[in-house]
C-alpha cells in the first residue's frame, strides 16, 4: 500500500475558476490518449478530487471543456473533443454527481496551450498537453 497525505488549505473558488489549476485543487489536468476519449486510470484518480469538491459543495455547477491536439482535421478533432467532454461528464455522473450540475462541450484544437499547431513539429509530450479536460466553475 501507499500512504496518502492530503493537506488542508483554504482556496478561493468563484465563478470562472478552473478546478484543475495548480493553485486551486493542485491536481494535474485530466489528459487523454491520442485519438481516444475514454477516462484513463490516472485521470480517474484525479477526477476523484473534482468529485470530492463537488460532493462537498452540492450547489456547485461546472462546465467541462475538452480539447485535442492539432493532429487530424479540425472537424475530426471537434468531434473527438465532444466525445471527451461526454466521457468526462459521464464519469462524474456515474460516480454520483447529478447531470443538472454539469455542462460541457468540446473545443477541438481551437485552444492549444502551446505552439503545437498544424504543421509544427512537436514531441509526444507537447501534444499530450493539449489533449485535456478543464473544469470551470459556473455556479457556486
Amino acid at each position: 500500500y501507499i500512504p496518502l497525505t492530503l493537506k488542508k488549505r483554504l482556496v478561493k473558488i468563484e465563478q470562472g475558476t478552473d478546478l484543475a489549476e495548480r493553485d486551486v485543487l493542485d491536481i494535474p489536468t485530466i489528459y487523454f490518449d491520442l485519438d481516444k476519449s475514454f477516462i484513463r486510470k490516472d485521470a480517474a484518480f484525479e477526477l476523484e478530487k473534482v468529485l470530492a469538491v463537488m460532493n462537498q459543495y452540492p450547489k456547485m455547477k461546472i462546465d467541462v471543456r475538452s480539447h485535442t491536439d492539432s493532429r487530424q482535421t479540425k472537424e475530426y478533432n471537434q468531434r473527438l473533443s465532444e466525445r471527451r467532454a461526454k466521457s468526462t461528464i459521464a464519469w462524474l455522473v456515474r460516480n454520483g454527481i447529478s447531470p443538472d450540475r454539469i455542462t460541457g462541450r468540446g473545443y477541438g484544437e481551437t485552444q492549444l496551450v502551446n505552439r503545437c499547431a498544424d504543421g509544427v513539429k512537436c514531441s509526444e509530450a507537447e501534444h499530450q498537453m493539449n489533449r485535456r479536460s478543464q473544469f470551470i466553475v459556473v455556479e457556486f
Side-chain angles (χ1 to χ4, degrees):
Y1 79 97
I2 299 172
L4 179 64
T5 303
L6 298 176
K7 294 184 279 184
K8 273 197 161 194
R9 60 191 174 102
L10 290 176
V11 176
K12 184 176 181 181
I13 296 177
E14 56 192 18
Q15 187 174 355
T17 299
D18 182 351
L19 293 178
E21 288 293 320
R22 283 218 68 67
D23 59 343
V24 178
L25 291 184
D26 199 24
I27 63 171
T29 302
I30 306 306
Y31 292 111
F32 294 88
D33 289 335
L34 176 64
D35 198 31
K36 304 292 184 215
S37 59
F38 66 87
I39 302 299
R40 301 184 331 196
K41 190 174 186 176
D42 62 325
F45 177 79
E46 301 305 339
L47 277 170
E48 292 279 349
K49 297 172 187 174
V50 175
L51 182 66
V53 170
M54 292 190 76
N55 283 330
Q56 185 175 357
Y57 299 98
K59 292 183 179 179
M60 179 184 287
K61 294 183 180 182
I62 63 168
D63 185 46
V64 175
R65 299 177 184 177
S66 295
H67 309 272
T68 67
D69 60 31
S70 63
R71 295 179 283 187
Q72 291 288 345
T73 66
K74 287 183 181 358
E75 296 79 18
Y76 178 87
N77 283 334
Q78 183 61 42
R79 290 189 306 272
L80 177 58
S81 67
E82 292 288 343
R83 290 194 308 272
R84 288 176 175 170
K86 287 178 183 174
S87 178
T88 304
I89 291 167
W91 188 97
L92 289 165
V93 170
R94 271 194 316 277
N95 285 280
I97 301 300
S98 174
D100 65 349
R101 295 179 61 201
I102 311 169
T103 57
R105 72 175 268 221
Y107 289 82
E109 60 184 81
T110 63
Q111 297 182 9
L112 301 174
V113 296
N114 55 28
R115 63 183 181 82
C116 298
D118 289 337
V120 176
K121 191 168 182 78
C122 290
S123 68
E124 180 56 32
E126 290 172 311
H127 282 300
Q128 172 71 94
M129 293 174 64
N130 291 309
R131 299 189 306 259
R132 68 200 191 281
S133 279
Q134 299 170 282
F135 308 94
I136 308 302
V137 175
V138 292
E139 192 174 310
F140 188 69

